[in-house]
Amino acid sequence: MSEILDLAGIFVFALSGALMGVRKRLDVVGMGVLAEMTALGGGVVRDLILNVRPAAFQSLGYVLVPVVATVIVFFWHPHVARVMPAILVLDAAGLGLFCAVGTGKAMEYGLNPLHAALLGVTTAVGGGMLRDVLAGEIPTLLYDRQLYALPALMGSGVMAGLSSYGLHGWPATLAAAVLAFGLRLAAMRRNWRAPLARGLSE
């Protein structure tokens, strides 16, 4: 079940990467690279920090799912773009899932709760940052003031806290993922923004 949820999150993130390739007028190879990096980048960085073989290289599905997403966007990108609101909801779900799973894995490898939470955030947002850098963009995490990293940080913090008190498994993962998902959805619907530096106007 956990692998199915993982692959679902990878698929959604890969769609956003392939769509970035369309917007940048890249060919199918470029689209595929962005899809793979967006979907797998955060998890690969996490596993390299933990000094373990990346999960992306242990299962063929992790590599093939972004390829499928690229093919879908290549042929039907106008239709995919039209359903972006639904994709953003799924993206929020992927954000919650990845931050919780990433934090849980870091705790299993002996990191303290703070470092595990930071690594959970890296898992959730790292792929998007790699996508933007490869596409020649300033990472949206740095200038898109819609709350994105903060929900991931809250979810990761809850996961780290629960794990430190001996609460593991799917109940803890679900609780942390739902929290991050709910905060991200609320930020999207209520237009919550991170504050600018003092004295700067909106």
Side-chain angles (χ1 to χ4, degrees), residues 50-77:
L50 293 175
N51 198 29
V52 299
R53 186 170 65 171
F57 299 111
Q58 298 184 48
S59 171
L60 193 59
Y62 282 77
V63 177
L64 291 182
V65 166
V67 173
V68 172
T70 301
V71 171
I72 291 172
V73 173
F74 181 82
F75 286 105
W76 299 289
H77 60 87

Side-chain angles (χ1 to χ4, degrees), residues 17-193:
L19 283 172
M20 171 69 82
V22 172
R23 288 195 293 272
K24 288 292 184 176
R25 301 184 63 83
L26 302 182
D27 62 21
V28 67
V29 175
M31 290 170 59
V33 169
L34 290 187
E36 295 281 354
M37 286 297 167
T38 308
L40 305 177
V44 169
V45 170
R46 174 201 66 209
D47 290 343
L48 290 177
I49 291 174
L50 293 175
N51 198 29
V52 299
R53 186 170 65 171
F57 299 111
Q58 298 184 48
S59 171
L60 193 59
Y62 282 77
V63 177
L64 291 182
V65 166
V67 173
V68 172
T70 301
V71 171
I72 291 172
V73 173
F74 181 82
F75 286 105
W76 299 289
H77 60 87
H79 305 288
V80 176
R82 278 199 292 271
V83 298
M84 271 308 293
I87 291 176
L88 289 175
V89 172
L90 295 174
D91 179 84
L95 179 80
L97 176 66
F98 279 21
C99 75
V101 171
T103 303
K105 186 169 184 178
M107 293 288 289
E108 290 174 6
Y109 278 84
L111 270 67
N112 64 51
L114 175 59
H115 290 151
L118 293 176
L119 202 52
V121 175
T122 300
T123 306
V125 306
M129 292 191 68
L130 288 173
R131 173 200 64 207
D132 293 340
V133 170
L134 287 174
E137 297 278 336
I138 298 174
T140 54
L141 185 68
L142 302 182
Y143 71 88
D144 178 8
R145 293 175 54 221
Q146 277 195 355
L147 300 184
Y148 196 80
L150 185 57
L153 181 59
M154 295 292 289
S156 294
V158 167
M159 184 67 187
L162 292 175
S163 296
S164 65
Y165 282 100
L167 299 174
H168 306 286
W170 69 264
T173 302
L174 181 63
V178 168
L179 174 64
F181 174 66
L183 287 174
R184 174 60 181 153
L185 278 188
M188 290 165 55
R189 293 180 178 177
R190 297 180 179 271
N191 207 31
W192 289 344
R193 293 286 188 273

